[in-house]
Structure formats: structure tokens, C-alpha cells
Amino acid sequence: FDLCYKITPIKSTFLQRARVVGIDDQAQLVERLIASGGEPCRDSLRRAVKGEELILASYCPFEMAGPYKEYGPVFIHAKATTEIFPSHLTELAKAEYLGQHFVLRAYSMQERIVDACLTSPVQCEMDVRRLFEREDVQFILVRFSTYGCYACRIERR
């Protein structure tokens, strides 16, 4: 079916600041580490391979002040990658980045949660379509189900 959305990567301004200046979204020093393997990298939307150089930093996917604005830990590659990630959420899930279950949180233009659901690789495309059928949904954040961390952002096409 016709895709009604696009998966957007972590903000390039964050990546630049974290890699070059070494500062995260809470003005803290980032942590540099060597991957054990399996860490979810938000810049490439894939799991890290053992031995890769990573950065662990606090990230905020929101722009507006308010009660829903939150920060959370993210792994990114220490050096910029040129990887192309999947355009379909199903492909991203099948690539084992998201796991068997993950959360979709739909937000309004005011960056307030208006709907959410627990989904799976089989169900996720229908859930994204259903959420975007709501006129008040501006974007969707995908979250890992076990730790609740930010995985990626989905925007309307």
C-alpha cells in the first residue's frame, strides 16, 4: 500500500554536537564506549556490532517546553555513518532493531500524547496508518517496549 509516512533519523544538530563537541541535549559530557554488540544505534537504526566505537548520550526528540518534553539515553556511532535505513517500519522491525514488540506514541502539533499502542512487526503498518488517520496526530515516536527508550520518529509524508 501507499506509504503515508517517513522514518526520520535522530536530529543532525544533535549528532554533530555529540560527536564534535562531546555535549548532549542536557549539556552533559557524552560517554564514549566500545560496543558489546546489540546496542540500538539511533543514527543508523541498526544494532551495533561488537567492537564499534559508540557514544552514549542524553537525547530529547522534542522542541517545545512542557510536561511531555523528556530526555533519554541513546547510542550513536562515534563517527558518522552513511548507511541507508529502511523506509518501512516493518523492514526496520524485521532487521531486529525494534524487537518483537514495540510502542507507537502519537503526538499532536503541541507535542502532547494523543494516542499510543503496543505493536509488532506484523501489526505496525496498520497501527501507523490508524494513528495517522487522526487529524490531531502530527508525528509518532517509536519506543522500545522493555526499556521505553526512543527508537525513531515517524512523520507524515
Side-chain angles (χ1 to χ4, degrees):
F1 60 88
D2 185 32
L3 270 179
C4 63
Y5 67 88
K6 63 181 177 178
I7 298 171
T8 60
I10 201 164
K11 295 179 223 162
S12 60
T13 52
F14 170 82
L15 294 173
Q16 178 75 9
R17 188 175 63 251
R19 288 178 177 140
V20 176
V21 183
I23 300 294
D24 69 15
D25 275 352
Q26 294 199 75
Q28 306 171 122
L29 290 176
V30 302
E31 293 181 21
R32 295 182 182 273
L33 62 139
I34 301 299
S36 300
E39 295 89 342
C41 296
R42 283 26 170 251
D43 56 334
S44 62
L45 302 184
R46 70 163 172 83
R47 297 286 174 156
V49 175
K50 185 176 182 172
E52 286 185 297
E53 293 179 46
L54 301 180
I55 291 174
L56 177 60
S58 185
Y59 177 70
C60 180
F62 301 96
E63 300 293 329
M64 301 172 136
Y68 287 93
K69 185 173 186 175
E70 60 187 356
Y71 298 80
V74 294
F75 290 99
I76 61 171
H77 293 92
K79 293 181 176 60
T81 66
T82 56
E83 298 176 53
I84 306 296
F85 48 84
S87 57
H88 290 76
L89 194 55
T90 304
E91 294 170 25
L92 196 57
K94 287 180 182 174
E96 298 181 10
Y97 175 67
L98 296 171
Q100 292 302 307
H101 294 95
F102 48 97
V103 173
L104 300 177
R105 285 192 199 160
Y107 292 83
S108 68
M109 186 176 288
Q110 296 76 29
E111 296 186 342
R112 294 187 172 259
I113 297 174
V114 295
D115 204 348
C117 64
L118 181 64
T119 193
S120 68
V122 173
Q123 182 68 33
C124 65
E125 298 291 343
M126 289 181 287
D127 287 335
V128 168
R129 184 173 291 276
R130 178 184 58 78
L131 291 170
F132 276 139
E133 284 175 355
R134 292 183 58 151
E135 289 182 24
D136 59 344
V137 173
Q138 183 71 22
F139 63 93
I140 298 168
L141 295 185
V142 182
R143 302 277 184 154
F144 296 103
S145 61
T146 49
Y147 290 90
C149 299
Y150 170 89
C152 63
R153 181 178 172 123
I154 300 173
E155 296 178 349
R156 292 179 184 275
R157 266 212 187 277

